Amino acid sequence: MIEQWLIDGEFEKVDQWLEEKEQQGRFDELYEASEELIQYGFFERAASIFQAMRAHFPHEAQLFVDEASMRFELGEDDVALELLEHVSEADEEYVQALLTLADYYEANGMLELALGKMEKAYELLPHEPIVQYGYAELLRQAGKHREAIRLYEQLLQLKDSDFDEATLLGSMAMTLSEGAAYEEALPYFERLLDVEELPATQFAFAHALFQTEQYERAIAPLQRTIELDADYYAAYTLLGQTYAQLEKNKEAYEVFERGLTRDRFEKGLYLAAGKMAIKLGKREEAIKHFEEALALDPEHLEARLNLASLYEYEERYEAVVDLLATFENNTPLMNLYLAHAYEALEQYEEAGTLYASLEEDLKTNIDYLNRYASFLVEEGRRTEALPLAQKLLTLTEDPTWSDFVERMAYEDDFDRYE
């Protein structure tokens, strides 16, 4: 009746009509009109209808639930919660009130409270599909995957469920995947793909295959994901990783590069491309990729560490210092590269201080022990280098350091003899 007025923006006519129907006591028409108001987002007017009707039907629990739903939509949470307190367990609408509360608590991040309300609703109506599905969804969010799966399976077995098969198959497959039951999830993904084909479904299927080390099988759904949505960036990353697992490094690098042509702001792809470029011996390309990743995210530790390693390999020691000297969140390995850069640049005081500061963090790191011991020997501090060399010999058989320890022992014996 009022739909066209709402579309045309003739709200005065709407308000006049609503007022007339209330005066005439035509509450059935008012209630029907509230559905149209809600459909077009006029929650305030719908709430006013329910409020007016409550004055005439103070014991009609449905009106309290309906108005509470509108008050939640309007952000009037306290009013909505107070309205729902009027719905008792004796009312037929009690379960509906519980579902409304569960939705509210879930939307506000109070998962335990939401789960409690839904659990109560399930106790009262354990065979109601909407209750089963809502309870399963909350159980899934709470990480109770097996309990959620049991409910999804019950719904899948219903012939006349309100939920379509694709929704339930998707929920089953994703819940199993979230619980790391990837092998069990695969047949549900396959059934779902027979019902509907979406990029997200193809990707999730491929991810499950990847997790079960079925790399060859994962390639086709990942390629299909990209065919359906060329901007599905995660698919490029996973496809590249899949090729890498199959030692098809050239194909992996090409996929990462292709992904970057679609999105120059995806730092994960730059990182993946950089690592693969190293494997392929493309050091300059790798440097560029890591530099791009850092340009997007200066705090990205892995990109910074890889870049420092490449700069050192290329003996670009000034670049190592520029990259790490003023960065406040260096890892111990980053500081090892920085110490070596200081040493190479003949900034021996800075190098020695930094090497010494790393002893606790890297006391079993062979590379660190080698570098620091060598530095101390070059500085003429052989006595300080001795315990490092001895530590090295407990970790590796290096004739250089075994000879050094023997010489130091001989010199010590000679000095005592003297």
Side-chain angles (χ1 to χ4, degrees), residues 68-277:
S69 297
M70 293 301 97
R71 298 301 176 189
F72 280 135
E73 290 286 353
L74 295 165
E76 300 172 12
D77 296 350
D78 291 341
V79 176
L81 292 170
E82 185 178 346
L83 285 165
L84 290 174
E85 288 178 3
H86 290 274
V87 184
S88 70
E89 290 192 43
D91 293 317
E92 290 183 7
E93 294 80 10
Y94 183 61
V95 169
Q96 192 177 348
L98 289 171
L99 297 179
T100 303
L101 282 168
D103 285 343
Y104 165 73
Y105 289 132
E106 180 191 5
N108 286 275
M110 295 178 275
L111 185 58
E112 285 301 317
L113 286 173
L115 198 53
K117 297 300 179 183
M118 192 62 78
E119 186 174 1
K120 180 66 175 176
Y122 181 70
E123 289 174 4
L124 295 170
L125 289 177
H127 302 297
E128 174 60 42
I130 193 170
V131 174
Q132 288 178 311
Y133 185 76
Y135 191 28
E137 289 287 281
L138 286 178
L139 287 168
R140 174 183 167 187
Q141 285 189 49
K144 299 179 180 181
H145 298 109
R146 286 296 167 189
E147 296 174 55
I149 288 164
R150 178 178 58 82
L151 293 172
Y152 291 134
E153 285 178 333
Q154 290 177 13
L155 287 166
L156 276 169
Q157 291 167 9
L158 294 177
K159 301 232 185 237
D160 54 352
S161 169
D162 292 334
F163 299 95
D164 63 79
E165 186 182 15
T167 297
L168 296 173
L169 287 171
S171 294
M172 276 290 292
M174 293 306 298
T175 304
L176 286 164
S177 291
E178 289 161 9
Y182 298 107
E183 196 73 52
E184 295 175 55
L186 292 176
Y188 290 101
F189 279 124
E190 290 169 336
R191 286 173 60 188
L192 177 57
L193 287 168
D194 286 338
V195 177
E196 66 175 21
E197 185 182 32
L198 297 173
T201 307
Q202 290 282 7
F203 178 80
F205 178 44
H207 180 261
L209 289 167
F210 184 91
Q211 293 297 328
T212 54
E213 300 182 5
Q214 299 183 58
Y215 304 120
E216 288 286 359
R217 284 189 67 197
I219 291 173
L222 285 168
Q223 290 175 332
R224 183 60 179 152
T225 302
I226 294 169
E227 286 176 13
L228 294 169
D229 182 359
D231 293 326
Y232 205 112
Y233 307 118
Y236 293 99
T237 302
L238 188 58
L239 181 55
Q241 291 170 344
T242 302
Y243 280 130
Q245 288 293 334
L246 295 168
E247 297 185 4
K248 296 181 178 181
N249 295 334
K250 181 181 177 183
E251 291 87 342
Y253 185 63
E254 288 173 354
V255 168
F256 294 140
E257 287 276 86
R258 183 150 51 98
L260 287 170
T261 64
R262 303 295 305 184
D263 183 8
R264 289 290 178 185
F265 299 96
E266 180 52 53
K267 62 187 179 186
L269 279 172
Y270 282 114
L271 187 66
K275 290 179 177 179
M276 191 51 63

